[in-house]
Amino acid sequence: MTKKDIFVNAAFKENSVWRQILGICSALAVTNLMLNSLILGLGVIFTLALANFTISLIRNWTPRSIRMMVQTLIIASYVIIVDIFLKANIPEISKQLGPYVGLIITNCILMGRAEAFASQNKPLDSMIDGIGAGLGYTLVLLVISFIRELFGFGSIFGFKVLGDWWISWNIMVMAPSAFFLLAMLIWAINTYYYKAKA
Amino acid sequence: MDISAFVLFWAAIFTSNILLTNFLGMCSYLSVSREIESAMGLGLAVTFVLTVTSALNWVVYHYLLVPFGIVYLQYIIFIVVIAAFVQFLELLIERYTPALYYSLGIFLPLITVNCAILGVSLFMIIRNYSFIQSVAFGAGSGIGWLLAILMLAGVRRKLKEKLIPVGLRGAGISLIITGIMALGFIGFSGIVQVQ
């Protein structure tokens, strides 16, 4: 597989969220505002790329029986870096994201990619796979948060785009809409992208 | 925070359900909800682990991390505490109750990476709960999670013989059902508010 194939595969064909249904905890929780989604997405890309790289680097020296623990600790170290960076530079958003930054550790995408790809492939390939999977994840976050923020607050990235005549849909800010929108997204992608036959 | 532990316990089950309003623990919620028996097994295991680890992590945070000034290591420490406890529990159950081990054992490794466990530990630190409050919050969250996965398993059993659009089968329809359940749970939200 070429580097491009690895990237496309991780980001679209085998997208963690819509294809493997992984990591949707945070995909749902932070998506009422686009800015929060973008920041969390970037955090996930960073962690995923570097954690995949590191895990792949030491894959031949990691005993199989404790590899889960080793992977978790590597992931957790990078998440701490992200957390400290966010707290120092954009404290308000860090506060809004709350525990969801820390929860990148238990985001199934990270363990999933580490197990499925990084533990069997070369470091550079693993890093590309990580960036691809992270971008695919961020894409889903942005699509869902675009709809939720537009209808829920009438704005995009915090800028009002719908005027005062717009009556915000409260349901879009609340939890259930996230479930419905993700289900719709998965349905649409299954039907048009994977051509699921009736 | 001066909410009584009792109120917090009920709030964690109904008004701020860990799964339906905070979206934690979705992965295993969607994958283990095909059979009611396994949903029950995993739910009980999660409830138990949640209650104990929220107590353990509270003690570790306030008597170890804060005095030594290493609060920034909380993620690593919390995940190690959770993983170690789950491992310990697995050994214990295997040694003393083999029957329980065969019905519950396969779920235990899943629990370490269940975001609900780490999520509750992080929430209790951010919201500054006392020890009693944390345990009540942990137990309530566990029962809330158990309730949600049992309801989904019950609905999914009925769905087996229904006609569902192909693209929506599996995760899609489960998410829609969960959305409807979350709508229902909004009905509780006027009772008490914890945020």
Side-chain angles (χ1 to χ4, degrees):
Chain A
M1 263 202 313
T2 64
K3 303 248 184 301
K4 191 179 159 230
D5 285 344
I6 294 172
F7 180 80
V8 172
N9 208 33
F12 301 106
K13 283 203 188 110
E14 290 303 316
N15 181 294
S16 308
V17 181
W18 67 62
R19 190 63 171 167
Q20 302 168 334
I21 323 292
L22 292 179
I24 49 182
C25 313
S26 48
L28 299 167
V30 300
T31 49
N32 49 5
L33 289 173
M34 283 190 87
L35 192 58
N36 292 359
S37 312
L38 184 68
I39 301 286
L40 191 80
L42 290 178
V44 169
I45 295 175
F46 173 83
T47 319
L48 202 47
L50 288 178
N52 257 3
F53 182 77
T54 318
I55 289 165
S56 170
L57 210 58
I58 59 167
R59 71 186 186 282
N60 294 330
W61 296 285
T62 320
R64 271 199 83 71
S65 50
I66 57 157
R67 70 180 192 290
M68 297 282 244
M69 205 60 234
V70 173
Q71 289 166 0
T72 312
L73 288 181
I74 292 171
I75 293 167
S77 325
Y78 286 116
V79 171
I80 290 178
I81 298 176
V82 172
D83 188 45
I84 292 177
F85 180 83
L86 291 183
K87 271 195 186 125
N89 290 296
I90 30 178
E92 315 90 67
I93 290 182
S94 165
K95 204 164 216 148
Q96 279 179 25
L97 288 176
Y100 293 101
V101 178
L103 286 170
I104 296 177
I105 300 171
T106 48
N107 190 324
C108 330
I109 292 179
L110 285 127
M111 283 305 265
R113 292 326 294 177
E115 274 292 286
F117 201 94
S119 58
Q120 289 139 24
N121 287 285
K122 292 200 190 77
L124 204 61
D125 289 355
S126 303
M127 196 166 170
I128 292 169
D129 177 83
I131 296 174
L135 273 178
Y137 173 80
T138 312
L139 183 73
V140 176
L141 287 192
L142 285 179
V143 169
I144 296 177
S145 60
F146 172 75
I147 302 173
R148 287 183 77 185
E149 192 177 335
L150 187 66
F151 290 115
F153 297 99
S155 58
I156 293 173
F157 279 112
F159 296 108
K160 277 252 173 270
V161 286
L162 299 172
D164 291 331
W165 54 272
W166 178 254
I167 298 163
S168 298
W169 300 7
N170 262 338
I171 183 79
M172 282 294 173
V173 185
M174 290 191 288
S177 72
F179 289 115
F180 291 135
L181 286 174
L182 187 62
M184 298 297 166
L185 188 71
I186 290 174
W187 188 7
I189 285 171
N190 273 341
T191 311
Y192 294 106
Y193 191 62
Y194 296 106
K195 308 263 190 298
K197 293 279 183 308
Chain B
M1 290 300 259
D2 49 356
I3 309 168
S4 86
F6 183 72
V7 172
L8 207 53
F9 176 75
W10 292 105
I13 300 178
F14 294 110
T15 62
S16 57
N17 187 293
I18 192 84
L19 194 129
L20 297 172
T21 56
N22 289 320
F23 310 104
L24 296 178
M26 288 294 297
C27 296
S28 37
Y29 167 80
L30 289 177
S31 54
V32 192
S33 55
R34 286 196 187 89
E35 306 290 334
I36 291 191
E37 288 76 27
S38 42
M40 188 76 189
L42 181 66
L44 286 176
V46 165
T47 309
F48 183 68
V49 173
L50 251 179
T51 315
V52 179
T53 53
S54 55
L56 282 178
N57 279 340
W58 192 90
V59 172
V60 166
Y61 183 83
H62 288 275
Y63 291 99
L64 211 66
L65 298 186
V66 175
F68 286 96
I70 45 172
V71 171
Y72 60 90
L73 280 182
Q74 57 169 318
Y75 298 147
I76 287 192
I77 306 284
F78 283 179
I79 202 89
V80 168
V81 167
I82 292 167
F85 177 71
V86 170
Q87 196 84 61
F88 172 75
L89 192 68
E90 202 176 343
L91 290 177
L92 210 67
I93 292 178
E94 192 181 9
R95 174 76 180 77
Y96 291 105
T97 50
L100 189 64
Y101 180 73
Y102 286 116
S103 59
L104 215 70
I106 45 165
F107 300 122
L108 285 172
L110 271 179
I111 291 180
T112 313
V113 288
N114 187 328
C115 8
I117 315 280
L118 184 64
V120 164
S121 290
L122 294 178
F123 269 126
M124 84 192 176
I125 298 301
I126 289 175
R127 294 182 189 164
N128 227 344
Y129 287 153
S130 72
F131 182 73
I132 303 292
Q133 281 177 325
S134 300
V135 175
F137 182 64
S141 300
I143 293 171
W145 198 87
L146 171 69
L147 195 66
I149 195 172
L150 268 186
M151 290 196 300
L152 181 67
V155 176
R156 281 183 82 167
R157 201 176 62 164
K158 294 278 179 197
L159 281 181
K160 271 179 195 154
E161 56 257 30
K162 298 284 182 288
L163 271 174
I164 298 163
V166 179
L168 205 56
R169 274 179 207 165
I173 193 73
S174 305
L175 281 170
I176 290 186
I177 294 164
T178 313
I180 297 171
M181 293 192 324
L183 266 182
F185 270 63
I186 285 181
F188 291 115
S189 64
I191 303 172
V192 59
Q193 203 54 258
V194 286
Q195 269 308 326

